[in-house]
Amino acid sequence: MANNDVIIWHNPRCSKSREALKLLQEEGIEPKIYKYLDEHPTKEQIKEVLAMIGATPRDIMRTKEAIYKELGLKNVDDDEKLVEAMAEHPRLIERPIVIKEGKAVLGRPPQKVIELVKG
């Protein structure tokens, strides 16, 4: 499988993200690695991923991050504002997210990425 067939939104410091990457590699897949903390995703990219997953912004937010509490996001009901917060503070985005052919999954647990790439 070519590198560009599968993309992983990856944080090398995250054990779940590393585990998902390892599972992909064990399947012979070398995904394109998108280090979303270094290259902040745009609001449009986040919305595309949400549509591919079939999720709401809060479904892929790290609600235990300090910045979540600092920004008072618990009380925000506006999806657009939540997406803006994730674009400005990508640390709020749960990881890993794996994308293949217009579909995506949040790799929690990491085994979900295998279901996506084999399905």
Side-chain angles (χ1 to χ4, degrees), residues 63-96:
T63 57
K64 293 187 172 118
E65 286 290 328
I67 192 72
Y68 182 86
K69 291 174 181 69
E70 288 168 25
L71 296 174
L73 296 174
K74 181 180 181 183
N75 302 317
V76 174
D77 289 333
D78 183 341
D79 282 356
E80 188 67 28
K81 294 218 181 301
L82 294 175
V83 169
E84 284 175 19
M86 286 189 280
E88 288 177 32
H89 307 280
R91 184 163 297 288
L92 288 167
I93 301 171
E94 191 62 87
R95 69 261 175 172

Side-chain angles (χ1 to χ4, degrees), residues 6-11 17 20 24 32 34 36 46 49-50 52-53 60 86 93-100 103-108 113 116:
V6 178
I7 300 166
I8 183 170
W9 285 26
H10 183 56
N11 176 354
S17 196
L24 290 170
K32 179 176 186 233
Y34 176 63
Y36 69 96
I46 294 168
V49 163
L50 287 169
M52 286 188 255
I53 294 174
I60 67 163
M86 286 189 280
I93 301 171
E94 191 62 87
R95 69 261 175 172
I97 293 172
V98 175
I99 302 165
K100 178 190 175 200
K103 294 180 183 170
V105 294
L106 178 59
R108 291 190 167 257
V113 303
L116 173 70

Side-chain angles (χ1 to χ4, degrees), residues 35-54:
K35 293 184 180 177
Y36 69 96
L37 292 177
D38 298 336
E39 309 170 41
H40 294 199
T42 64
K43 290 188 295 184
E44 291 72 29
Q45 287 172 302
I46 294 168
K47 287 178 184 178
E48 285 175 17
V49 163
L50 287 169
M52 286 188 255
I53 294 174

